[in-house]
Amino acid sequence: VYAPDGSLLAEADDLENGVATDAYLESLTLPQIGIYRIEVRSYRDQTSGGYRLILADPRPLVIHTGMEATAGLAIHPNGQKALVGVGKYGYPGTGAAAADNHILVLDLATGEVLRQLEGHTDTPVAIAISPDGGRAVSAGLDGQAILWDLESVSEIRRFEQAGQSFMGVRFHTDGATILTSSTDASLALWNLASGEVIHRFEGHADWIQELAISPDGKKAYSTSLDGTLRTWDLERGELIANYQPFATGLTGGLAVSPNGSSLLVGGGDPYVRDHQAFDVPNAVIALLDASTGETLSTLEGHTAVVNTVAFSPDGRYALSGSWDRTVRLWDVNSGEQLAVFTGHTNEIWQVAFSPDGLTGYSTSLDGSLRIWDLSEFINEN
C-alpha cells in the first residue's frame, strides 16, 4: 500500500515456507486524505494488479445557503454544529434592511439545516457561543443583539443599539456579560440578566471593526476604520492604550492568542471597494505583543483588506480571510504562509477553527460556508 506521496505504507507476504496463506495488513493507519495505491503481485510476479483506494472527506466542503451573504459564524464547542448568520447584506448605515435574515444551525457533517433562529431584521454579522455550548448571542446590522437558549432554541433577551449597527459580539469569561461593538465607534459591556449597559467605551474616531477579550477577562481589544488598536480595562471601563500598528489604512481582523500574550491584527486600504485583488502594500497581518503593542512580526501574502483572523486552539497557527477572496493558513511562530484556499467569489467575512484545530471554516458575502481540511498542513507533534 502506497501513500499519496508515493511512499510505502505497508506490505505483507502470504507465503510461508512455500505454502500459500492469507496476507493481512494489520494496524494500518491511513494518515491523510488522498488517493492510495494498492499493488497486488502474484507468486513469482507472473501476474499483477493495481488498485486505488480513494480516501475522501465525507463532509460537504461547500454549503450554499441560498442567501446573498453569510456573515456571522460560530463553531459549537462540540465541533459538530455551526451557527451561521445569513441575509441580504447592506453596507452599515445605508438602511438596506431586508427580510430573510436569520441564523442557520448547521450539521457540519452533512450540511443539513437543523434549525433556524428567527428574529433579526437585517444580517446577523457576528455570533458567539458560550463556552458550555448552552447559549449563543448574535449581533446584527439592525442594531439588535439577541441572546438565545440553544437547548430550547428560543430567544432569551434583546439588547438594542437604536439607530446603529452592531459589528461584533463576544461572551465575557464570567458568563454573565457580553461585549458588543457598533458603528457609533463605541463598545458596550452588557449585563445578561438585566439587559443594561455596565460600561460604554468611547474614543475611536470611526466605527469599530472587531473586538476581542483577553483570556483572563480583564481586558478588551478593538480595531477600527480609524486605523487604531485600542486596549480597554473591562473592570474600570477605561482606555489603557492606543496603538497604530500600520502607517496607513484601517485595522480590521482581530484575535487574541489562547495564552493572552499576543494579538493578530489585519490591515489594508479601506477605499478599495470593488473587491478585486489589488497590490495593497499594507494588506498584512501584524503579530503584536498584547502588553506593549510592539509589532513582533508580520504575515504577508494577502492583497486586499484582511477582514478576519483567528488563532488555532493551541495558538501555533492562524487563519485569515480577506477582501481578496482567499483564506490563508499561517504558522504564527515562523510567519510562513502554509496554504492559500480559494473558491469564494466575494470577500471573506469570518473565519474559524474547529475545536481540534484541524478544520477551518469561512463565511463570505457570496452566501456560502466553506470547510477547509487543514490536517495536511499542520504538524500535530
Side-chain angles (χ1 to χ4, degrees), residues 66-362:
M67 294 300 297
E68 291 181 6
T70 52
L73 172 65
I75 307 302
H76 195 278
N78 65 17
Q80 299 173 7
K81 296 181 291 186
L83 270 61
V84 178
V86 301
K88 297 181 178 179
Y89 180 87
Y91 205 67
T94 61
D100 300 324
N101 299 279
H102 42 259
I103 298 167
L104 302 179
V105 182
L106 295 173
D107 184 316
L108 290 174
T110 65
E112 178 187 0
V113 177
L114 303 175
R115 299 285 180 88
Q116 285 190 186
L117 306 181
E118 306 284 353
H120 282 287
T121 58
D122 207 342
T123 310
V125 293
I127 303 171
I129 299 176
S130 61
D132 64 5
R135 295 174 298 169
V137 61
S138 57
L141 298 181
D142 54 6
Q144 302 280 332
I146 304 177
L147 180 65
W148 306 90
D149 185 316
L150 294 182
E151 300 298 327
S152 62
V153 195
S154 60
E155 180 180 318
I156 300 173
R157 179 180 295 280
R158 289 191 175 222
F159 310 86
E160 296 192 16
Q161 189 89 338
Q164 298 294 329
S165 294
F166 282 117
M167 295 300 289
V169 66
R170 293 286 186 274
F171 271 97
H172 192 278
T173 55
D174 62 13
T177 54
I178 59 170
L179 186 67
T180 62
S181 62
S182 72
T183 54
D184 69 354
S186 74
L187 297 165
L189 185 67
W190 305 78
N191 184 297
L192 287 179
S194 68
E196 297 178 350
V197 174
I198 301 170
H199 293 302
R200 192 170 293 278
F201 306 84
E202 298 179 331
H204 277 295
D206 210 330
W207 81 47
I208 296 173
Q209 290 284 94
E210 261 290 9
L211 74 161
I213 297 177
S214 62
D216 62 10
K218 295 181 179 180
K219 298 177 182 178
Y221 308 94
S222 57
T223 57
S224 168
L225 291 183
D226 67 13
T228 66
L229 166 72
R230 297 185 183 232
T231 304
W232 309 89
D233 186 312
L234 284 178
E235 296 176 348
R236 299 181 180 181
E238 300 173 350
L239 178 67
I240 297 176
N242 180 14
Y243 308 113
Q244 187 169 348
F246 309 112
T248 61
L250 57 75
T251 49
L254 173 65
V256 59
S257 63
N259 64 8
S261 66
S262 57
L263 302 168
L264 286 171
V265 181
D269 182 352
Y271 301 108
V272 178
R273 291 301 184 196
D274 61 359
H275 312 302
Q276 298 300 312
F278 285 90
D279 182 16
V280 182
N282 64 327
V284 300
I285 303 164
L287 179 68
L288 306 181
D289 184 299
S291 298
T292 66
E294 176 189 0
T295 299
L296 304 175
S297 63
T298 57
L299 311 180
E300 301 184 11
H302 281 295
T303 57
V305 172
V306 181
N307 212 35
T308 173
V309 291
F311 273 101
S312 63
D314 62 8
R316 297 166 59 192
Y317 302 94
L319 272 179
S320 60
S322 167
W323 285 14
D324 66 15
R325 307 179 184 185
T326 67
V327 173
R328 301 181 186 230
L329 178 68
W330 309 85
D331 183 309
V332 174
N333 292 326
S334 69
E336 180 185 0
Q337 181 176 275
L338 302 176
V340 180
F341 302 103
T342 60
H344 279 297
T345 58
N346 208 329
E347 71 182 66
I348 313 300
W349 188 263
Q350 199 79 46
V351 294
F353 279 93
S354 60
D356 64 8
L358 299 179
T359 304
Y361 304 92
S362 57

